[in-house]
Amino acid sequence: MPVSKARRTIIQDFLKEKQNYSSEWCCCNITFSSITDIGRHVNQCHQAEIDIRETKKQEEKQKKENNLYLLKQRRGKKGSSDPIATECQCQLENSKVILFYRYTLVKDPVKFALDHQSYCGSMTGKVRIAGEGINATLAGSNEDIDAYLNWLTTTQPFEDGALSELRQPVSLNLDDPTTARYKFFKPSQGCSHVFSELSIKLVDEICPLGQTTVVLGKLQKPDHGHGKLSPRDFHAMLSKRHQDDFILLDTRNYYESKIGHFEGAIQPPIRKFSQFPDYVERNKDAMQGKTILTYCTGGIRCEKATAFMRQALPGEEIFMLDGGIHNYMEWWKHKDIDSEDPVWQGKNYVFDARQSLGLQDDSIVSQCQTCQQPWDKYKKCGSAGCHLLVLCCDTCCAPDQQVYCCDDCHHGQQNGLCACEKERRQREMQRLQVQ
């Protein structure tokens, strides 16, 4: 009977264990001087041991395949979506939420993901891992967050010497924004209830742009890093927005930019990041010859957006806000310059039950879709399977009352996409003039 490739490999490994010199093997207190003799001995006396090794190898392979399958499964039940409100009574000083990403080579994404299951077991949130890096938002107790960071910063994806400060085992405190860990892991106030569960998933891209040309190598080029602006420099450029000829481009989804954006920003009507390249391609002519500034929530989308735009618009000056809106708001709270008002308006949408964070609670730039009064708290469309977010105030729709994005959803008449989603997609497909 032919010997399988896997079994041949196991036999070869067994023989290597018994090899003393290049042409001498020792097994069962017998010395063999030829590969033929030791091979015959193994075949006659060690088949049971080879069988055990083969069975163990098969079990390990099956376990890895099972883990891989589970790590690639969808996070929740089909038709479900993330919560956008919470009413817990937690003492918030005892916990926090962290937001971070890193584009870097992950040599063993499966092991990295499985290790996260162990070290994040007592937390909630979302962790996305790929060969190109990690993207995570996690919520938990102060002790659990610190223990996780102490482990994470010693792993292979964080072994870069430039990150040595992150390996300092200091507690991540919300009142100490000067530490390297604070700047990188972007902590904010919150508890484990801002997420419904812990989701650790293996993905092809940690931020799906869907462009095979935007690879890790491009994101790690020095010229890409030089295009990152600190919040202070970004603010200084925006302070001249009425003088200089540049474009300020929001790379987020329309429902994020609707409740908060930088003054004068162009807000593409996209619902997911993978639609951004098409928007750029349709507006290339209007972007020619202009300095382009981009921003997003925490920086991860801008990394890929600017890399794509540099190849779509070669020769143009393209910059991104390093650390995103989150870092800008943190800088503004502790700024050392005199300025009457921030150029940020409204709230920063976050993908958890807190829904948004702002510099001022009364800063509202959006309106209730029914009465047009200032309002920035989303509700989910009450139609089964439709998770579009609707801005409807408590006067027009009580907190415990269902709200609908359109008449189709209200009357249960959807056939595929509902009316307002069809309208939004139609607007999206139109060529929008960049001012």
Side-chain angles (χ1 to χ4, degrees):
M1 181 182 291
V3 179
S4 68
K5 182 179 179 181
R7 190 175 180 88
R8 284 200 303 272
T9 300
I10 292 170
I11 294 173
Q12 289 169 1
D13 290 341
F14 185 87
L15 293 175
K16 287 178 182 178
E17 293 173 11
K18 306 301 180 182
Q19 191 169 13
N20 294 330
Y21 302 101
S22 60
S23 59
E24 186 176 294
W25 295 261
C26 184
C27 185
C28 299
N29 295 320
I30 304 172
T31 300
F32 300 89
S33 57
S34 74
I35 188 68
T36 302
D37 292 340
I38 181 66
R40 187 180 299 113
H41 170 77
V42 170
N43 186 54
Q44 293 173 349
C45 304
H46 295 283
Q47 285 302 303
E49 187 173 349
I50 298 299
D51 289 343
I52 292 172
R53 291 192 180 197
E54 185 176 21
T55 299
K56 184 178 179 181
K57 204 75 173 177
Q58 290 173 344
E59 290 174 348
E60 290 174 350
K61 181 181 178 182
Q62 186 61 52
K63 182 179 179 181
K64 186 172 183 179
E65 289 176 353
N66 291 342
N67 287 333
L68 188 60
Y69 174 78
L70 292 173
L71 288 168
K72 289 191 173 183
Q73 290 304 293
R74 64 178 293 117
R75 182 166 44 86
K77 295 180 181 179
K78 189 172 182 179
S80 65
S81 63
D82 296 324
I84 58 172
T86 183
E87 296 180 355
C88 72
Q89 303 299 318
C90 291
Q91 299 295 318
L92 295 182
E93 65 271 15
N94 298 325
S95 59
K96 62 175 68 75
V97 179
I98 56 173
L99 166 72
F100 71 95
Y101 73 94
R102 176 162 166 72
Y103 284 111
T104 187
L105 175 64
V106 179
K107 294 180 180 178
D108 191 341
V110 175
K111 183 180 184 303
F112 197 41
L114 291 174
D115 287 344
H116 268 77
Q117 289 183 338
S118 299
Y119 283 92
C120 301
S122 57
M123 295 186 279
T124 61
K126 306 172 190 175
V127 180
R128 300 293 175 261
I129 292 171
E132 67 173 10
I134 177 173
N135 177 21
T137 310
L138 288 164
S141 70
N142 296 333
E143 294 76 12
D144 287 338
I145 293 289
D146 285 341
Y148 167 71
L149 297 185
N150 289 341
W151 163 76
L152 178 71
T153 53
T154 64
T155 61
Q156 174 267 316
F158 284 79
E159 64 186 7
D160 189 336
L163 301 178
S164 59
E165 283 189 82
L166 294 182
R167 290 189 277 277
Q168 299 296 322
V170 296
S171 294
L172 186 61
N173 295 320
L174 292 177
D175 57 357
D176 188 3
T178 62
T179 66
R181 282 193 175 184
Y182 188 102
K183 295 174 183 177
F184 186 89
F185 292 106
K186 306 181 188 72
S188 57
Q189 192 175 74
C191 68
S192 60
H193 295 105
V194 303
F195 295 102
S196 59
E197 61 182 351
L198 173 66
S199 168
I200 299 170
K201 193 173 179 182
L202 275 178
V203 292
D204 296 326
E205 295 181 83
I206 58 173
C207 185
L209 183 65
Q211 297 291 312
T212 56
T213 56
V214 181
V215 294
L216 183 60
K218 288 192 175 182
L219 300 175
Q220 293 180 323
K221 283 185 176 180
D223 62 338
H224 181 69
H226 294 158
K228 295 181 179 181
L229 297 175
S230 68
R232 182 189 181 99
D233 291 340
F234 187 81
H235 179 86
M237 289 190 72
L238 292 192
S239 297
K240 301 177 182 177
R241 59 194 177 281
H242 304 301
Q243 306 169 26
D244 297 342
D245 187 19
F246 67 77
I247 291 172
L248 177 59
L249 190 58
D250 195 323
T251 67
R252 301 172 301 155
N253 303 319
Y254 76 95
Y255 56 87
E256 298 175 75
S257 59
K258 193 171 186 177
I259 65 169
H261 48 261
F262 283 103
E263 183 183 342
I266 294 170
Q267 303 156 42
I270 60 176
R271 194 179 180 197
K272 54 185 179 180
F273 187 47
S274 58
Q275 296 169 340
F276 181 78
D278 181 60
Y279 174 84
V280 172
E281 290 291 347
R282 288 185 282 113
N283 289 279
K284 283 170 63 174
D285 292 344
M287 296 182 185
Q288 297 284 351
K290 292 185 172 69
T291 299
I292 301 172
L293 276 66
T294 68
Y295 68 90
C296 62
T297 306
I300 188 170
R301 281 177 280 188
C302 285
E303 290 266 5
K304 284 194 172 181
T306 53
F308 172 77
M309 293 177 73
R310 287 190 180 110
Q311 65 186 33
L313 298 160
E316 305 297 345
E317 284 192 300
I318 303 172
F319 301 93
M320 64 170 278
L321 171 58
D322 193 16
I325 301 163
H326 183 283
N327 274 10
Y328 179 87
M329 293 200 304
E330 286 297 314
W331 168 77
W332 182 263
K333 293 174 187 175
H334 307 94
K335 67 184 186 303
D336 56 357
I337 63 172
D338 292 328
S339 181
E340 293 182 0
D341 297 299
V343 287
W344 172 257
Q345 301 175 327
K347 306 290 174 55
N348 182 23
Y349 185 92
V350 292
F351 292 88
D352 58 58
R354 296 173 299 173
Q355 194 177 133
S356 65
L357 302 172
L359 288 172
Q360 299 171 334
D361 290 338
D362 59 352
S363 176
I364 300 177
V365 297
S366 49
Q367 299 83 34
C368 168
Q369 71 172 27
T370 302
C371 67
Q372 308 305 311
Q373 292 301 308
W375 189 257
D376 63 1
K377 292 180 175 59
Y378 277 116
K379 296 180 175 70
K380 285 183 185 177
C381 177
S383 177
C386 179
H387 304 299
L388 292 181
L389 297 174
V390 181
L391 287 171
C392 189
C393 70
D394 290 341
T395 301
C396 295
C397 178
D400 58 348
Q401 181 182 348
Q402 291 279 30
V403 62
Y404 298 93
C405 62
C406 63
D407 287 341
D408 279 1
C409 281
H410 192 186
H411 300 294
Q413 297 175 347
Q414 317 98 299
N415 183 15
L417 299 177
C418 65
C420 69
E421 179 66 353
K422 287 178 182 177
E423 181 183 351
R424 190 198 63 76
R425 292 197 180 191
Q426 186 176 12
R427 291 198 309 270
E428 179 189 321
M429 292 307 295
Q430 294 172 350
R431 181 183 176 84
L432 301 178
Q433 182 179 1
V434 175
Q435 300 298 324

